[in-house]
Amino acid sequence: MIDQPGESVTPELLLRVMGLTKFFGGLCAVADLDLEIRPGELVALIGPNGAGKTTAFNLISGFLPPTRGRIYYSDRDITRLKAHSVARLGLVRSFQSNVLFAGKTVKENLLIGFYNQYRTGFWQDILGTRAHQAELEAMDRQADELLQFFDLTQYHDVKAGSLTHGHQRILGVAMALASRPRLLLLDEPVSGLNDEETTTMMRHIRETRDRGITIILVEHDMKAVMGNCERIVVMHYGRKIAEGTPQEIVNHPLVIEAYLGNGDLDV
């Protein structure tokens, strides 16, 4: 029974989604979605427009409450937790559009990204205590490390709104990483990027996974997905219709049928 609170993830799972369903009025956007994610995986969630992928992300990350189903993360039931509480546990998501502070510099954006991990309180901030100062210095060092990791050091004092679209997308992923996630949900990270920018972004994503961060990404660029993800989950009209390796997905009859006519599965 999916609604029994006694069930949880097993030790080898980081995320377990069971029977996840979401209705908007009479429209079922996600129907009985089951999903299991193991630590260290790079998994893609794909499907035609309107398949329910982003809604699934919103449910898992706490931005929407499910109609029914359970979500377990790191052996904890997070089904009814709000987004900020989910993020503090280490499950962080990015968005399709660039959610940046355009008038602030690249480094200032990264420092804002560390907000979820801010430990010292209001009075320490006001009084400038040693603990507060040490935390600020640690965040500054970590921001510099992220700038270097994402090849953004030369843009550290450039206003985020002045960056190219590709660099803004990379900065968005870096800001998500600043929250120190264990599980990172990336919503269309290569949307609007050219081939060179896509290659760079996917390299950063693979390197992020190699640093021990588990990643699920929603993406329409099938070449990026097939060339980088070990496992792919396919949704269509709110339901999961297939799951497997890239080769298994390319040859899956239901996937081929779902993508007929739009050319998206041409890899």
Side-chain angles (χ1 to χ4, degrees), residues 107 111 114 135-145:
K107 186 168 182 178
L111 291 171
F114 282 104
E135 184 171 41
L136 292 179
E137 291 172 356
M139 288 192 296
D140 190 75
R141 289 194 303 272
Q142 291 159 5
D144 287 338
E145 290 171 2

Side-chain angles (χ1 to χ4, degrees), residues 9 12 22 28 33 35 40 42 54 57 66 73 88-89 94 110 114 125 138 174 190 200 222 229 253 258:
V9 294
E12 67 272 13
K22 180 63 178 180
C28 185
L33 176 64
L35 183 64
L42 173 52
T54 296
F57 263 23
Y73 166 73
R88 281 190 174 275
L89 293 175
S94 71
L110 282 182
F114 282 104
D125 193 351
V190 303
T200 298
M222 290 299 97
C229 298

Side-chain angles (χ1 to χ4, degrees), residues 108-173:
E108 287 170 339
N109 270 265
L110 282 182
L111 291 171
I112 292 169
F114 282 104
Y115 178 76
N116 267 344
Q117 302 300 320
Y118 198 72
R119 299 301 182 191
T120 54
F122 173 78
W123 285 112
Q124 288 94 330
D125 193 351
I126 294 295
L127 297 174
T129 64
R130 287 186 178 181
H132 173 66
Q133 187 60 37
E135 184 171 41
L136 292 179
E137 291 172 356
M139 288 192 296
D140 190 75
R141 289 194 303 272
Q142 291 159 5
D144 287 338
E145 290 171 2
L146 280 178
L147 288 171
Q148 183 175 5
F149 180 73
F150 284 99
D151 300 323
L152 292 172
T153 301
Q154 62 180 312
Y155 305 108
H156 74 281
D157 60 350
V158 175
K159 296 292 176 60
S162 300
L163 295 174
T164 65
H165 177 69
H167 283 115
Q168 287 185 2
R169 298 295 286 180
I170 291 173
L171 177 57
V173 174

Side-chain angles (χ1 to χ4, degrees), residues 3-62:
D3 284 316
Q4 290 298 317
E7 299 196 56
S8 65
V9 294
T10 57
E12 67 272 13
L13 294 179
L14 183 59
L15 178 74
R16 188 180 189 187
V17 174
M18 306 169 65
L20 195 62
T21 300
K22 180 63 178 180
F23 281 92
F24 294 103
L27 174 66
C28 185
V30 175
D32 297 315
L33 176 64
D34 293 332
L35 183 64
E36 294 184 348
I37 303 295
R38 293 166 181 78
E41 285 195 293
L42 173 52
V43 178
L45 183 61
I46 70 171
N49 288 329
K53 308 179 298 296
T54 296
T55 300
F57 263 23
N58 287 335
L59 294 169
I60 293 169
S61 56

Side-chain angles (χ1 to χ4, degrees), residues 158-198:
V158 175
K159 296 292 176 60
S162 300
L163 295 174
T164 65
H165 177 69
H167 283 115
Q168 287 185 2
R169 298 295 286 180
I170 291 173
L171 177 57
V173 174
M175 286 183 67
L177 200 57
S179 298
R180 300 173 187 165
R182 291 183 62 201
L183 175 58
L184 184 58
L185 310 183
L186 298 178
D187 200 350
E188 299 191 22
V190 303
S191 175
L193 304 187
N194 61 35
D195 289 345
E196 182 178 353
E197 290 169 334
T198 295

